[in-house]
Amino acid sequence: MFKVIFACVHNAGRSQMAAAFFNQLADPQKAQAISAGTQPGERVHPEVQAIMQEIGMDLSHAKPQKLTEALAREAQLLITMGCGDQCPYIPGLRREDWPLQDPKGLSAEQVRTIRDDIKTRVQELLSREVLA
């Protein structure tokens, strides 16, 4: 099983959207994703929940969690989204960075743009890794 961790600072926006798209689009027999943050927030940002709900994806039960070294060791790929040096370095773990704006406090249109960018990046990742 190929495991991907999507990580951002608060695990309340970008990484939650990415994991949701990945788990919806990936072949569940081949891959799964989780999301985590270096400084997890209390809950998923309301603006992110609303924008994902527009496309039928319910993040109301998603709970931010801390990105730990132990969690990262279970994965084959870590995709960071703005946590930079705060994300742990795990020897042998492939790492990519997706420079995406934090959606917290942005307008609905701005959050939609970030959501759509994330979906495109996830689709490209699944195609490249042959996981769909």
Side-chain angles (χ1 to χ4, degrees):
M1 177 70 67
F2 190 86
K3 291 189 180 183
V4 178
I5 297 177
F6 291 98
C8 62
V9 177
H10 300 293
N11 187 218
R14 298 164 287 190
S15 57
Q16 292 283 353
M17 289 190 281
F21 280 126
F22 187 96
N23 288 327
Q24 179 188 56
L25 300 169
D27 179 341
Q29 300 299 316
K30 293 182 180 179
Q32 72 178 57
I34 59 171
S35 66
T38 54
Q39 299 169 11
E42 293 293 314
R43 59 187 166 86
V44 174
H45 301 311
E47 54 271 66
V48 169
Q49 284 189 37
I51 294 306
M52 292 299 279
Q53 191 65 51
E54 287 179 355
I55 59 169
M57 298 184 84
D58 183 8
L59 295 183
S60 64
H61 299 295
K63 175 97 172 93
Q65 67 175 328
K66 182 148 182 74
L67 176 59
T68 63
E69 197 171 312
L71 190 65
R73 262 193 242 108
E74 297 175 7
Q76 286 74 44
L77 178 61
L78 171 64
I79 297 181
T80 58
M81 303 171 177
C83 56
D85 293 338
Q86 294 179 25
C87 285
Y89 171 73
I90 308 297
L93 179 61
R94 280 178 42 212
R95 189 168 170 172
E96 287 183 29
D97 185 64
W98 292 357
L100 298 161
Q101 185 177 6
D102 187 346
K104 183 178 182 180
L106 298 181
S107 71
E109 193 53 45
Q110 290 170 305
V111 178
R112 279 186 202 102
T113 299
I114 294 166
R115 176 197 67 197
D116 296 346
D117 185 10
I118 289 171
K119 183 176 182 182
T120 298
R121 288 171 184 262
V122 167
Q123 289 169 323
E124 290 169 356
L125 171 66
L126 290 167
S127 178
R128 184 176 75 232
E129 298 292 331
V130 192
L131 297 171

